[in-house]
Amino acid sequence: MGGRVGLLWMTAACLTALGDPQPSCHPERSEGSSPRSSNSASKIPRCARDDTRHTLPHPDTTDWRRLAQEIHAETNAVRRNPSGYAEHLERMLPRFDRKVLQRPGRSYLRTEEGAAAVREAITSLRARRPVAPLRWSKGLAAAAADHVRDQGPIGGLQHRGTDNSDPARRASRYGRWIQGVAENITYGENPARAVVIQLLVDDGVPDRGHRDNILDPDWGAAGVACGPHRRYRQICVMDYAAKYVER
């Protein structure tokens, strides 16, 4: 990728609870290096959400830092052993009724592809080789936290911040990224494993962009941040970089 800068837009999955409108979802990747990261696209993407909207007050008792660390650990678990991680997805299959996923103690989830997307994800994971785990980056976590604080209170669903920042620009606030950066975002109240599985399945989209971000062997560092979201109660932002020099 060298010094080349560009934006690679990839469609990714969305899961919506029954009665919730279907969003369009795209993870974001930037290639190049951070000194030139101000180059941005006019298209503003959205990302994966899978829970019903909530507008009533809800007590915030979640340990957001712990959730972020758990998502990072789950990400590294699937990177270390993709084939073994497929067993978690296999447990979902009996809970499908056509395209509706039954979730004990929670609202049912309407999907686009049903169990077929999960089976495809299982096949993909079984065929993949292990890749190196991601180093936790304080700078990338801080960049992700900036976006959580920006989008959560307003119920935002975009990679673009209200200050017009993109993931590359936010990552550059806390260090220097080299070769490439990427970002995944999820919405809805989910524990860490469910967040990662949601992105691995990437329901409804042929290129499975979120999955590729998680399993891309080029990434060497990552940072995660989660927090409250006005519409979906939870937002988690995952930022990745090929190389990242902390400031």
Side-chain angles (χ1 to χ4, degrees):
M1 289 179 279
R4 183 170 62 88
V5 175
L7 292 181
L8 174 63
W9 300 96
M10 302 177 298
T11 310
C14 301
L15 300 175
T16 57
L18 294 179
D20 200 31
Q22 179 74 22
S24 61
C25 298
H26 312 269
E28 178 173 289
R29 293 176 69 135
S30 301
E31 301 176 15
S33 58
S34 54
R36 298 172 62 191
S37 65
S38 60
N39 185 17
S40 59
S42 59
K43 181 177 180 181
I44 299 177
R46 296 184 178 183
C47 262
R49 68 192 192 198
D50 82 341
D51 217 339
T52 52
R53 301 183 186 189
H54 298 282
T55 56
L56 296 177
H58 186 267
D60 182 6
T61 58
T62 306
D63 187 337
W64 298 114
R65 289 187 179 181
R66 179 177 178 180
L67 177 60
Q69 291 282 352
E70 289 175 347
I71 290 172
H72 184 73
E74 284 291 321
T75 298
N76 280 337
V78 67
R79 286 173 68 89
R80 288 189 181 101
N81 186 7
S83 180
Y85 202 90
E87 295 179 2
H88 299 306
L89 280 66
E90 288 176 340
R91 300 189 186 109
M92 298 170 62
L93 295 175
R95 295 191 278 115
F96 273 97
D97 181 4
R98 296 185 180 180
K99 294 185 178 181
V100 176
L101 175 64
Q102 299 177 10
R103 303 185 296 180
R106 304 183 62 190
S107 59
Y108 288 5
L109 201 63
R110 187 190 303 279
T111 69
E112 288 191 22
E113 300 175 66
V118 179
R119 293 192 186 97
E120 187 276 330
I122 292 169
T123 300
S124 175
L125 289 173
R126 287 175 173 167
R128 291 187 183 242
R129 295 181 178 179
V131 293
L134 299 170
R135 174 183 65 83
W136 177 267
S137 164
K138 292 182 179 179
L140 291 174
D146 282 353
H147 201 50
V148 168
R149 286 190 295 268
D150 179 73
Q151 294 288 291
I154 64 173
L157 300 170
Q158 300 180 3
H159 287 283
R160 184 82 55 177
T162 57
D163 60 355
N164 205 38
S165 64
D166 59 19
R169 188 174 300 175
R170 290 189 291 272
S172 297
R173 294 170 182 167
Y174 303 100
R176 182 168 62 92
W177 58 270
I178 302 168
Q179 294 182 331
V181 294
E183 182 172 87
N184 282 346
I185 306 178
T186 64
Y187 305 89
E189 290 182 289
N190 284 311
R193 180 165 294 167
V195 167
V196 172
I197 288 175
Q198 175 190 356
L199 298 171
L200 290 172
V201 173
D202 247 359
D203 173 74
V205 183
D207 62 13
R208 313 303 193 197
H210 285 121
R211 183 193 304 164
D212 289 341
N213 274 349
I214 289 178
L215 294 169
D216 193 328
D218 289 338
W219 304 141
V224 184
C226 299
H229 190 267
R230 180 178 177 182
R231 297 170 64 188
Y232 290 93
R233 291 190 177 173
Q234 178 177 306
I235 175 174
C236 290
V237 178
M238 291 137 273
D239 287 341
Y240 313 92
K243 296 180 181 178
Y244 192 79
V245 181
E246 310 283 345
R247 183 172 297 170

